[in-house]
PDB file of all heavy atoms in Angstrom:
ATOM      1  N   THR A   1     127.485  39.907 -34.389  1.00 94.00           N
ATOM      2  CA  THR A   1     128.281  40.264 -33.253  1.00 94.00           C
ATOM      3  C   THR A   1     127.639  41.482 -32.489  1.00 94.00           C
ATOM      4  O   THR A   1     126.551  41.944 -32.742  1.00 94.00           O
ATOM      5  CB  THR A   1     129.716  40.608 -33.720  1.00 94.00           C
ATOM      6  OG1 THR A   1     130.548  40.619 -32.580  1.00 94.00           O
ATOM      7  CG2 THR A   1     129.749  41.926 -34.407  1.00 94.00           C
ATOM      8  N   ILE A   2     128.341  41.930 -31.401  1.00 95.00           N
ATOM      9  CA  ILE A   2     127.866  43.086 -30.694  1.00 95.00           C
ATOM     10  C   ILE A   2     128.114  44.355 -31.415  1.00 95.00           C
ATOM     11  O   ILE A   2     129.263  44.604 -31.710  1.00 95.00           O
ATOM     12  CB  ILE A   2     128.413  43.044 -29.294  1.00 95.00           C
ATOM     13  CG1 ILE A   2     128.045  41.837 -28.497  1.00 95.00           C
ATOM     14  CG2 ILE A   2     128.053  44.371 -28.516  1.00 95.00           C
ATOM     15  CD1 ILE A   2     128.682  41.742 -27.082  1.00 95.00           C
ATOM     16  N   THR A   3     127.050  45.036 -31.730  1.00 92.00           N
ATOM     17  CA  THR A   3     127.157  46.373 -32.544  1.00 92.00           C
ATOM     18  C   THR A   3     127.211  47.537 -31.661  1.00 92.00           C
ATOM     19  O   THR A   3     127.730  48.574 -32.063  1.00 92.00           O
ATOM     20  CB  THR A   3     126.091  46.429 -33.596  1.00 92.00           C
ATOM     21  OG1 THR A   3     124.880  46.306 -32.955  1.00 92.00           O
ATOM     22  CG2 THR A   3     126.258  45.326 -34.627  1.00 92.00           C
ATOM     23  N   PHE A   4     126.620  47.490 -30.424  1.00 90.00           N
ATOM     24  CA  PHE A   4     126.704  48.456 -29.491  1.00 90.00           C
ATOM     25  C   PHE A   4     126.438  48.007 -28.127  1.00 90.00           C
ATOM     26  O   PHE A   4     125.727  47.034 -27.902  1.00 90.00           O
ATOM     27  CB  PHE A   4     125.955  49.827 -29.818  1.00 90.00           C
ATOM     28  CG  PHE A   4     124.486  49.808 -29.650  1.00 90.00           C
ATOM     29  CD1 PHE A   4     123.863  49.907 -28.244  1.00 90.00           C
ATOM     30  CD2 PHE A   4     123.655  49.644 -30.676  1.00 90.00           C
ATOM     31  CE1 PHE A   4     122.538  49.771 -28.158  1.00 90.00           C
ATOM     32  CE2 PHE A   4     122.258  49.559 -30.450  1.00 90.00           C
ATOM     33  CZ  PHE A   4     121.670  49.658 -29.224  1.00 90.00           C
ATOM     34  N   ASP A   5     126.885  48.616 -27.077  1.00 93.00           N
ATOM     35  CA  ASP A   5     126.811  48.300 -25.711  1.00 93.00           C
ATOM     36  C   ASP A   5     126.751  49.491 -24.882  1.00 93.00           C
ATOM     37  O   ASP A   5     127.684  50.292 -24.811  1.00 93.00           O
ATOM     38  CB  ASP A   5     128.059  47.414 -25.362  1.00 93.00           C
ATOM     39  CG  ASP A   5     128.002  46.921 -23.969  1.00 93.00           C
ATOM     40  OD1 ASP A   5     127.236  47.279 -23.151  1.00 93.00           O
ATOM     41  OD2 ASP A   5     128.872  46.006 -23.586  1.00 93.00           O
ATOM     42  N   ILE A   6     125.574  49.831 -24.364  1.00 91.00           N
ATOM     43  CA  ILE A   6     125.259  51.031 -23.703  1.00 91.00           C
ATOM     44  C   ILE A   6     124.843  50.866 -22.207  1.00 91.00           C
ATOM     45  O   ILE A   6     123.919  50.249 -21.881  1.00 91.00           O
ATOM     46  CB  ILE A   6     124.094  51.841 -24.377  1.00 91.00           C
ATOM     47  CG1 ILE A   6     124.357  52.104 -25.838  1.00 91.00           C
ATOM     48  CG2 ILE A   6     123.770  53.133 -23.587  1.00 91.00           C
ATOM     49  CD1 ILE A   6     123.202  52.644 -26.597  1.00 91.00           C
ATOM     50  N   PRO A   7     125.637  51.442 -21.277  1.00 91.00           N
ATOM     51  CA  PRO A   7     125.220  51.389 -19.920  1.00 91.00           C
ATOM     52  C   PRO A   7     124.048  52.332 -19.647  1.00 91.00           C
ATOM     53  O   PRO A   7     124.085  53.403 -20.215  1.00 91.00           O
ATOM     54  CB  PRO A   7     126.467  51.830 -19.136  1.00 91.00           C
ATOM     55  CG  PRO A   7     127.212  52.627 -20.036  1.00 91.00           C
ATOM     56  CD  PRO A   7     126.943  52.069 -21.501  1.00 91.00           C
ATOM     57  N   ILE A   8     123.090  52.023 -18.727  1.00 88.00           N
ATOM     58  CA  ILE A   8     121.995  52.871 -18.329  1.00 88.00           C
ATOM     59  C   ILE A   8     122.150  53.181 -16.922  1.00 88.00           C
ATOM     60  O   ILE A   8     122.252  52.300 -16.109  1.00 88.00           O
ATOM     61  CB  ILE A   8     120.603  52.130 -18.722  1.00 88.00           C
ATOM     62  CG1 ILE A   8     120.597  51.725 -20.190  1.00 88.00           C
ATOM     63  CG2 ILE A   8     119.471  52.994 -18.297  1.00 88.00           C
ATOM     64  CD1 ILE A   8     120.606  52.866 -21.107  1.00 88.00           C
ATOM     65  N   ASP A   9     122.034  54.366 -16.586  1.00 77.00           N
ATOM     66  CA  ASP A   9     122.074  54.900 -15.271  1.00 77.00           C
ATOM     67  C   ASP A   9     120.730  54.834 -14.637  1.00 77.00           C
ATOM     68  O   ASP A   9     119.780  55.595 -14.905  1.00 77.00           O
ATOM     69  CB  ASP A   9     122.528  56.412 -15.155  1.00 77.00           C
ATOM     70  CG  ASP A   9     122.769  56.896 -13.697  1.00 77.00           C
ATOM     71  OD1 ASP A   9     122.468  56.103 -12.811  1.00 77.00           O
ATOM     72  OD2 ASP A   9     123.230  57.994 -13.675  1.00 77.00           O
ATOM     73  N   ARG A  10     120.467  53.869 -13.694  1.00 66.00           N
ATOM     74  CA  ARG A  10     119.253  53.618 -13.200  1.00 66.00           C
ATOM     75  C   ARG A  10     118.908  54.530 -12.048  1.00 66.00           C
ATOM     76  O   ARG A  10     117.692  54.585 -11.572  1.00 66.00           O
ATOM     77  CB  ARG A  10     119.100  52.187 -12.515  1.00 66.00           C
ATOM     78  CG  ARG A  10     119.079  51.057 -13.518  1.00 66.00           C
ATOM     79  CD  ARG A  10     117.713  50.589 -13.880  1.00 66.00           C
ATOM     80  NE  ARG A  10     116.942  51.558 -14.579  1.00 66.00           N
ATOM     81  CZ  ARG A  10     116.886  51.623 -15.931  1.00 66.00           C
ATOM     82  NH1 ARG A  10     117.566  50.817 -16.691  1.00 66.00           N
ATOM     83  NH2 ARG A  10     116.157  52.524 -16.489  1.00 66.00           N
ATOM     84  N   SER A  11     119.874  55.426 -11.667  1.00 67.00           N
ATOM     85  CA  SER A  11     119.651  56.370 -10.639  1.00 67.00           C
ATOM     86  C   SER A  11     118.881  57.624 -11.112  1.00 67.00           C
ATOM     87  O   SER A  11     118.258  58.416 -10.518  1.00 67.00           O
ATOM     88  CB  SER A  11     120.854  56.872  -9.952  1.00 67.00           C
ATOM     89  OG  SER A  11     121.665  57.540 -10.951  1.00 67.00           O
ATOM     90  N   ARG A  12     118.724  57.748 -12.486  1.00 62.00           N
ATOM     91  CA  ARG A  12     118.027  58.822 -13.142  1.00 62.00           C
ATOM     92  C   ARG A  12     116.648  58.333 -13.578  1.00 62.00           C
ATOM     93  O   ARG A  12     116.346  57.197 -13.620  1.00 62.00           O
ATOM     94  CB  ARG A  12     118.740  59.378 -14.379  1.00 62.00           C
ATOM     95  CG  ARG A  12     120.184  59.783 -14.027  1.00 62.00           C
ATOM     96  CD  ARG A  12     120.854  60.319 -15.213  1.00 62.00           C
ATOM     97  NE  ARG A  12     122.205  60.991 -14.905  1.00 62.00           N
ATOM     98  CZ  ARG A  12     122.994  61.451 -15.818  1.00 62.00           C
ATOM     99  NH1 ARG A  12     122.707  61.479 -17.046  1.00 62.00           N
ATOM    100  NH2 ARG A  12     124.167  61.948 -15.374  1.00 62.00           N
ATOM    101  N   PRO A  13     115.720  59.301 -13.827  1.00 56.00           N
ATOM    102  CA  PRO A  13     114.400  58.839 -14.214  1.00 56.00           C
ATOM    103  C   PRO A  13     114.503  58.001 -15.552  1.00 56.00           C
ATOM    104  O   PRO A  13     115.352  58.146 -16.411  1.00 56.00           O
ATOM    105  CB  PRO A  13     113.783  60.285 -14.707  1.00 56.00           C
ATOM    106  CG  PRO A  13     114.448  61.184 -13.835  1.00 56.00           C
ATOM    107  CD  PRO A  13     115.864  60.673 -13.707  1.00 56.00           C
ATOM    108  N   ARG A  14     113.515  57.036 -15.688  1.00 53.00           N
ATOM    109  CA  ARG A  14     113.619  56.120 -16.723  1.00 53.00           C
ATOM    110  C   ARG A  14     113.044  56.543 -18.057  1.00 53.00           C
ATOM    111  O   ARG A  14     112.479  55.735 -18.866  1.00 53.00           O
ATOM    112  CB  ARG A  14     112.844  54.828 -16.358  1.00 53.00           C
ATOM    113  CG  ARG A  14     113.599  54.112 -15.106  1.00 53.00           C
ATOM    114  CD  ARG A  14     113.072  52.697 -14.909  1.00 53.00           C
ATOM    115  NE  ARG A  14     113.656  52.027 -13.809  1.00 53.00           N
ATOM    116  CZ  ARG A  14     112.980  52.023 -12.654  1.00 53.00           C
ATOM    117  NH1 ARG A  14     111.792  52.513 -12.515  1.00 53.00           N
ATOM    118  NH2 ARG A  14     113.516  51.450 -11.554  1.00 53.00           N
ATOM    119  N   ARG A  15     113.089  57.793 -18.284  1.00 54.00           N
ATOM    120  CA  ARG A  15     112.762  58.254 -19.583  1.00 54.00           C
ATOM    121  C   ARG A  15     113.796  57.862 -20.706  1.00 54.00           C
ATOM    122  O   ARG A  15     114.952  58.099 -20.468  1.00 54.00           O
ATOM    123  CB  ARG A  15     112.580  59.885 -19.669  1.00 54.00           C
ATOM    124  CG  ARG A  15     112.077  60.389 -21.073  1.00 54.00           C
ATOM    125  CD  ARG A  15     111.935  61.923 -20.848  1.00 54.00           C
ATOM    126  NE  ARG A  15     113.229  62.489 -20.628  1.00 54.00           N
ATOM    127  CZ  ARG A  15     114.107  62.804 -21.565  1.00 54.00           C
ATOM    128  NH1 ARG A  15     113.922  62.465 -22.865  1.00 54.00           N
ATOM    129  NH2 ARG A  15     115.287  63.413 -21.177  1.00 54.00           N
ATOM    130  N   VAL A  16     113.272  57.256 -21.735  1.00 54.00           N
ATOM    131  CA  VAL A  16     114.244  56.760 -22.795  1.00 54.00           C
ATOM    132  C   VAL A  16     114.926  57.959 -23.524  1.00 54.00           C
ATOM    133  O   VAL A  16     114.189  58.789 -24.090  1.00 54.00           O
ATOM    134  CB  VAL A  16     113.566  55.881 -23.867  1.00 54.00           C
ATOM    135  CG1 VAL A  16     114.546  55.362 -24.828  1.00 54.00           C
ATOM    136  CG2 VAL A  16     112.944  54.710 -23.083  1.00 54.00           C
ATOM    137  N   PRO A  17     116.273  58.095 -23.523  1.00 52.00           N
ATOM    138  CA  PRO A  17     116.927  59.181 -24.212  1.00 52.00           C
ATOM    139  C   PRO A  17     116.686  58.956 -25.717  1.00 52.00           C
ATOM    140  O   PRO A  17     116.936  58.007 -26.319  1.00 52.00           O
ATOM    141  CB  PRO A  17     118.312  58.978 -23.839  1.00 52.00           C
ATOM    142  CG  PRO A  17     118.481  58.145 -22.635  1.00 52.00           C
ATOM    143  CD  PRO A  17     117.208  57.247 -22.785  1.00 52.00           C
ATOM    144  N   THR A  18     116.168  60.069 -26.373  1.00 56.00           N
ATOM    145  CA  THR A  18     115.747  59.954 -27.797  1.00 56.00           C
ATOM    146  C   THR A  18     117.030  59.559 -28.677  1.00 56.00           C
ATOM    147  O   THR A  18     116.844  58.760 -29.573  1.00 56.00           O
ATOM    148  CB  THR A  18     115.235  61.296 -28.302  1.00 56.00           C
ATOM    149  OG1 THR A  18     114.051  61.641 -27.536  1.00 56.00           O
ATOM    150  CG2 THR A  18     114.812  61.171 -29.693  1.00 56.00           C
ATOM    151  N   ALA A  19     118.188  60.153 -28.344  1.00 53.00           N
ATOM    152  CA  ALA A  19     119.323  59.879 -29.139  1.00 53.00           C
ATOM    153  C   ALA A  19     119.710  58.382 -29.050  1.00 53.00           C
ATOM    154  O   ALA A  19     120.031  57.790 -30.040  1.00 53.00           O
ATOM    155  CB  ALA A  19     120.522  60.728 -28.757  1.00 53.00           C
ATOM    156  N   LEU A  20     119.567  57.838 -27.938  1.00 53.00           N
ATOM    157  CA  LEU A  20     120.027  56.420 -27.708  1.00 53.00           C
ATOM    158  C   LEU A  20     118.939  55.520 -28.347  1.00 53.00           C
ATOM    159  O   LEU A  20     119.261  54.566 -28.906  1.00 53.00           O
ATOM    160  CB  LEU A  20     120.022  56.133 -26.268  1.00 53.00           C
ATOM    161  CG  LEU A  20     121.285  56.752 -25.477  1.00 53.00           C
ATOM    162  CD1 LEU A  20     121.314  56.197 -24.027  1.00 53.00           C
ATOM    163  CD2 LEU A  20     122.549  56.380 -26.163  1.00 53.00           C
ATOM    164  N   LEU A  21     117.694  55.851 -28.231  1.00 55.00           N
ATOM    165  CA  LEU A  21     116.630  55.069 -28.916  1.00 55.00           C
ATOM    166  C   LEU A  21     116.818  55.074 -30.388  1.00 55.00           C
ATOM    167  O   LEU A  21     116.680  54.025 -31.034  1.00 55.00           O
ATOM    168  CB  LEU A  21     115.220  55.657 -28.396  1.00 55.00           C
ATOM    169  CG  LEU A  21     114.087  54.865 -28.859  1.00 55.00           C
ATOM    170  CD1 LEU A  21     114.120  53.419 -28.308  1.00 55.00           C
ATOM    171  CD2 LEU A  21     112.705  55.521 -28.391  1.00 55.00           C
ATOM    172  N   ASP A  22     117.046  56.283 -30.984  1.00 58.00           N
ATOM    173  CA  ASP A  22     117.291  56.291 -32.404  1.00 58.00           C
ATOM    174  C   ASP A  22     118.432  55.463 -32.763  1.00 58.00           C
ATOM    175  O   ASP A  22     118.438  54.735 -33.800  1.00 58.00           O
ATOM    176  CB  ASP A  22     117.509  57.769 -32.836  1.00 58.00           C
ATOM    177  CG  ASP A  22     116.259  58.602 -32.812  1.00 58.00           C
ATOM    178  OD1 ASP A  22     115.157  58.012 -32.749  1.00 58.00           O
ATOM    179  OD2 ASP A  22     116.336  59.956 -32.820  1.00 58.00           O
ATOM    180  N   ARG A  23     119.560  55.465 -31.971  1.00 52.00           N
ATOM    181  CA  ARG A  23     120.688  54.715 -32.287  1.00 52.00           C
ATOM    182  C   ARG A  23     120.356  53.258 -32.181  1.00 52.00           C
ATOM    183  O   ARG A  23     120.815  52.405 -33.072  1.00 52.00           O
ATOM    184  CB  ARG A  23     121.757  55.054 -31.278  1.00 52.00           C
ATOM    185  CG  ARG A  23     123.129  54.334 -31.441  1.00 52.00           C
ATOM    186  CD  ARG A  23     124.199  54.771 -30.461  1.00 52.00           C
ATOM    187  NE  ARG A  23     125.315  53.992 -30.516  1.00 52.00           N
ATOM    188  CZ  ARG A  23     126.243  54.041 -29.459  1.00 52.00           C
ATOM    189  NH1 ARG A  23     126.030  54.763 -28.454  1.00 52.00           N
ATOM    190  NH2 ARG A  23     127.418  53.264 -29.615  1.00 52.00           N
ATOM    191  N   ALA A  24     119.603  52.874 -31.223  1.00 54.00           N
ATOM    192  CA  ALA A  24     119.216  51.388 -31.144  1.00 54.00           C
ATOM    193  C   ALA A  24     118.374  50.989 -32.224  1.00 54.00           C
ATOM    194  O   ALA A  24     118.484  49.938 -32.744  1.00 54.00           O
ATOM    195  CB  ALA A  24     118.438  51.141 -29.712  1.00 54.00           C
TER     196      ALA A  24
END
């Protein structure tokens, strides 16, 4: 099933947030 669902703000630089990447 869906274990997480994260919106991404495209108006900001596309550097991957470390905390979100670790969570993924």
